[in-house]
Amino acid sequence: AALAAGCGSDSTFQVKGTIAGAKNGTLYLQKEEEGHYLNVDSLEMGKNGKFEFTGDATEPQMYYLAFGKAAPVLSFFAESGTITIDARIDSLQKAKVKAGREQELYDEFLSYIRDFSGKKDKVYLDILRSSAVDGDKDSIEVYRSMYQSLERRQAQFVANFVLTHSDSRVAPLMAHTFLNQGYSPLLDSLVKSMSPEVADSKYGREFAGFVSAAKNTLVGMSAPDFELKK
């Protein structure tokens, strides 16, 4: 990492910041390859919670911070330049990440997804309550219909977000993450909508590969019903 920084590579990034409340321990910088988290670098954190890593990203790519062998606790889009993270250990979802355009789009996307998740969690609890011994059985189908409607609306949002931001690496990554329930011809439309640069990126190739495999192997499965809106 030090050598990369010294060479002044256009792909070099520096991520630094504070995780307030974090105790002494090992913090890892990670990236994902073929479904596995790979440790890129590590450091021993002090009581002040400050950290700093230097890494290399030949294209904007998701990187992660993790403590020890635990699952990653923070994610961010790494691209050349400086990335700053301000977080608290007891509210990591509210971490403030200052980076490039990809991170801004990622944050915007997540704010909507969290809203959908909150609504779906509430309806799911209503389903569980109605399914209980003393629950209102007549309401179960109503709540199930509400949940399915939220699923469709979320799929609609993701698809339109991908279409609108087809020149961003965030688009294929989010499509692959949230539209992976099965094949729909509209997934081909999303693949074709991506700019040549994004289509040839890590996440563009992975999403196109998923769509191709889903089309040929996921027999009998279908993605949530949604439409694209330009």
Side-chain angles (χ1 to χ4, degrees), residues 3-87:
L3 178 61
C7 292
S9 170
D10 289 340
S11 59
T12 298
F13 69 86
Q14 181 185 50
V15 55
K16 59 183 180 179
T18 304
I19 303 179
K23 304 296 183 182
N24 292 351
T26 304
L27 181 68
Y28 290 89
L29 175 67
Q30 300 179 331
K31 66 178 180 178
E32 182 271 331
E33 292 292 345
E34 298 182 355
H36 300 283
Y37 294 113
L38 303 180
N39 293 331
V40 176
D41 202 352
S42 64
L43 58 79
E44 294 299 318
M45 295 190 69
K47 292 182 179 180
N48 59 10
K50 293 187 179 298
F51 65 90
E52 183 173 330
F53 291 111
T54 299
D56 189 71
T58 55
E59 62 176 306
Q61 182 178 345
M62 189 73 78
Y63 272 71
Y64 307 87
L65 296 178
F67 291 107
K69 296 182 179 180
V73 295
L74 277 173
S75 58
F76 62 93
F77 258 93
E79 50 189 308
S80 60
T82 300
I83 301 158
T84 60
I85 297 176
D86 183 15

Side-chain angles (χ1 to χ4, degrees), residues 11 21 50 64 93 120 142-143 155 194 216 220:
S11 59
K50 293 187 179 298
Y64 307 87
Q93 283 194 342
K120 289 194 296 182
V142 175
Y143 289 130
M194 294 177 187
N216 295 316

Side-chain angles (χ1 to χ4, degrees), residues 75-190:
S75 58
F76 62 93
F77 258 93
E79 50 189 308
S80 60
T82 300
I83 301 158
T84 60
I85 297 176
D86 183 15
R88 293 190 57 83
I89 194 65
D90 57 353
S91 56
L92 291 168
Q93 283 194 342
K94 298 180 180 179
K96 296 180 180 179
V97 182
K98 292 183 179 180
R101 172 178 177 265
E102 305 289 6
Q103 182 66 42
E104 292 178 359
L105 288 176
Y106 180 56
D107 288 340
E108 176 187 339
F109 179 88
L110 286 185
S111 67
Y112 284 99
I113 290 299
R114 287 176 183 139
D115 183 56
F116 277 114
S117 295
K119 292 177 180 177
K120 289 194 296 182
D121 287 346
K122 182 180 182 302
V123 175
Y124 185 71
L125 286 176
D126 289 334
I127 293 174
L128 293 179
R129 293 190 186 99
S130 299
S131 302
V133 175
D134 58 347
D136 181 7
K137 303 298 189 297
D138 294 336
S139 299
I140 294 178
E141 288 305 316
V142 175
Y143 289 130
R144 284 178 177 169
S145 178
M146 290 172 62
Y147 191 89
Q148 292 169 355
S149 176
L150 285 168
E151 287 272 85
R152 288 193 296 270
R153 286 170 54 196
Q154 178 176 299
Q156 174 86 59
F157 164 74
V158 175
N160 288 328
F161 182 93
V162 172
L163 187 66
T164 302
H165 303 289
S166 57
D167 61 341
S168 166
R169 265 77 165 185
V170 176
L173 177 58
M174 296 301 98
H176 196 180
T177 302
F178 291 94
L179 299 177
N180 60 6
Q181 300 301 308
Y183 175 71
S184 164
L186 291 177
L187 296 181
D188 282 318
S189 298
L190 295 181

Side-chain angles (χ1 to χ4, degrees), residues 210-228:
F210 161 75
V211 174
S212 177
K215 185 189 305 183
N216 295 316
T217 63
L218 300 183
V219 179
M221 296 180 65
S222 61
D225 184 27
F226 58 87
E227 298 177 353
L228 294 178

